[in-house]
Amino acid sequence: MTSPQWLDSWSADDGAARVRTLFTEAFGDDGAPDGVWSAPGRVNLIGEHTDYNAGLALPVALPHRTYVALRSRTDGLVRLASAQAPDERWETALDEVTPGVTHGWGAYVAGVAWALRAAGHEVSGFDAVVDSCVPFGAGLSSSAALECAVAVALDAVHSLGLAADDAGRAELVTACVRAENEIAGAPTGGMDQAASLRCSAGHALLLDCRPGLTALESAERVPFDLAAAGLTLLVVDTRAEHALVDGQYAQRRAACEQAADILGVASLREIAPDELDVALDKLGGTEDAEVLRRRVRHVVTEIARTAEFANLVRAGRATEVGPLMNASHASLRDDYEVSAHELDLVVEAALGAGALGARMTGGGFGGSAIALVRAADVDGVTAAVQTAFDEAGLAAPGFLLAPPSDPAR
Ligand code: ADP
Ligand code: MG
């Protein structure tokens, strides 16, 4: 058996040293950065494809973070370099950042400055470099980690004061979501950015994505002390190619909107679990309706599972959440149809080796899966997943440990 590939997180000192060095290499002639900021990737425990349905999600921040060294400029230019895109130095005038026009990885960065400006904050151009140990495109939200690290950096250099409290952080979330949706052009919900900015170490973040809620109403930090419960959250980056992801994501969103229209509700959140059967009947029995019925069933049951998961964790019964994770996976696989062979394989192998629960996490079609594992079983579960991939002739997956970690700072 090939030995498992562990994707370790960096210490804060290591991350800062990396971006300081990179900054000197990229822009050193003009002096040092104003400072170093970082933000975590996230992994969602449960509540998938629910954020854009005004539902519930329950992410935790990863110990894996994106580091940014940034220095503001007075001439309105944005100049960027990333260790993850060594051949793609990026430069533009901040005034020229525009939806539909700005492209490339720098859109995630410059988009945040654009969105903060659009919200009425004074933000100037800047030089910035990026380095990250958040796996790229693995469903662990390297994009939000990048946006949120930039958001807290700009907040600091312009003394906006938003990162200082949770309500201000909720405003930064909005700016990062706008950057991703409107400038980078990725139609994501708001979970990733909220997780990166508003999570807290040792806690999961119960997000309520109904529009119009106050910051206080929209997020609750639920103590989730895995170590005390003798548990480990294992993340498996399947490294599966996810082709067609964007189109599929947009289709799922459109199906949910269509179903909500037919059902006469603003969002699927309004359908309570005990109203589900009536709602499904109302969608009709045609073949097209059958697809909508399955999409709706996923969303409504997933929101209920997320509430139940949070209740168990609040009650100190984290060891009992496994069946909810397994049911979530089955629902995403069969009703929402966003799983992938590799994700199913992780879940099957992990459960076979004694995981308490396992599921795909993130948008799907590849990306990552999680398993909740008793600490003593981590090696066995890891080996089982590794063996399953070997035997299926698949490229080796990456393994991460995910103790709930700190937010952007
Ligand atoms: P995920 O968020 O699941 O990792 P996405 O497709 O949403 O995947 O975001 C990945 C994109 O974000 C990359 O293609 C790149 O454009 C940008 N990105 C994220 N992190 C970095 C980084 N450290 N350097 C440069 N670009 C990055
Ligand atoms: Mg992303």
Side-chain angles (χ1 to χ4, degrees), residues 328-342:
S328 169
H329 184 75
S331 177
L332 288 157
R333 182 191 60 209
D334 302 334
D335 276 348
Y336 219 62
E337 297 181 282
V338 293
S339 189
H341 169 58
E342 291 85 347

Side-chain angles (χ1 to χ4, degrees), residues 82 84 105 108 130 132 135-143 146 180:
S82 167
Q84 281 69 50
W105 71 270
Y108 292 89
V130 180
S132 179
F136 232 63
L140 302 174
S141 227
S142 70
S143 59
L146 176 56
E180 180 142 356

Side-chain angles (χ1 to χ4, degrees), residues 8 34 39 62 74 126-127 172 196 200 217 222 296 311 348 406:
D8 294 326
D34 296 338
L62 290 173
T74 51
F126 54 91
D127 292 333
L172 293 178
S196 187
S200 128
E217 292 162 338
V222 184
V296 170
N311 282 337
E348 196 186 313
D406 288 321

Side-chain angles (χ1 to χ4, degrees), residues 23 125 176 187 199:
F23 194 92
C176 291
C199 272

